[in-house]
Amino acid sequence: FCFFHHLSMQEFEKFNIAKSTIYAIVYFFFIPVNHFILNIFVFGWPASYISSLVNNYIVGFCAIIVGATCTAYLEKIKFEVKADLWVRQHVTSKIMNEFDDLHSGSTFYTTVLVLSISGILSYGLFFMFNIPTSKSEKKVQ
């Protein structure tokens, strides 16, 4: 997700599309991917994958709303500039020179913060939706 989000930011900013809109579009297309990965590595395969996926789109939409709102707010308060200034004041110049080459003009700090917030929210909500509440809802082992 991070790679495609970063790539999308670089490509679609040329068209003057808001960063929060880019985040929402990319995240929307990654809902099935995230659901698949969480079911394989965390929760186990559900008895009805499609039904589980549809139920988990609610989680994805919540994450989109929170992530897009956070992205818009952080952009409005110029968080990227403030975070970059703070890092430059507290990190040696050699490290920052290498970092500048990799991340010039990017939204690195905003992306990390937004993905952390939406990731924690999504994990909690996925947990609520994917834990069986009765014996009849148990996952296929």
Side-chain angles (χ1 to χ4, degrees), residues 88-101:
R88 287 179 186 285
Q89 291 173 348
H90 294 90
V91 178
T92 66
S93 61
K94 182 179 179 185
I95 295 171
M96 283 310 297
N97 288 338
E98 293 173 13
F99 186 79
D100 283 345
D101 294 340

Side-chain angles (χ1 to χ4, degrees), residues 27-128:
Y27 197 96
F28 176 79
F29 286 107
F30 271 85
I31 291 173
V33 175
N34 292 338
H35 179 256
F36 179 78
I37 290 170
L38 279 173
N39 280 319
I40 286 181
F41 295 113
V42 180
F43 300 111
W45 199 255
S48 172
Y49 181 78
I50 299 298
S51 173
S52 176
L53 176 62
V54 170
N55 287 335
N56 281 279
Y57 259 94
I58 297 167
V59 174
F61 288 134
C62 289
I64 287 172
I65 291 167
V66 168
T69 302
C70 287
T71 301
Y73 176 72
L74 292 172
E75 187 176 9
K76 181 179 177 182
I77 65 168
K78 301 192 184 318
F79 174 78
E80 194 69 30
V81 173
K82 293 175 184 178
D84 188 56
L85 181 62
W86 185 88
V87 169
R88 287 179 186 285
Q89 291 173 348
H90 294 90
V91 178
T92 66
S93 61
K94 182 179 179 185
I95 295 171
M96 283 310 297
N97 288 338
E98 293 173 13
F99 186 79
D100 283 345
D101 294 340
L102 294 172
H103 299 286
S104 62
S106 74
T107 57
F108 177 76
Y109 304 110
T110 302
T111 300
V112 168
L113 183 59
V114 169
L115 289 179
S116 298
I117 292 168
S118 63
I120 291 168
L121 170 73
S122 294
Y123 182 78
L125 292 175
F126 271 120
F127 212 149
M128 289 172 38

Side-chain angles (χ1 to χ4, degrees), residues 43-44 126-141:
F43 300 111
F126 271 120
F127 212 149
M128 289 172 38
F129 277 97
N130 288 303
I131 297 300
T133 57
S134 68
K135 289 183 180 182
S136 64
E137 293 181 17
K138 281 195 174 180
K139 310 281 183 202
V140 175
Q141 295 295 332

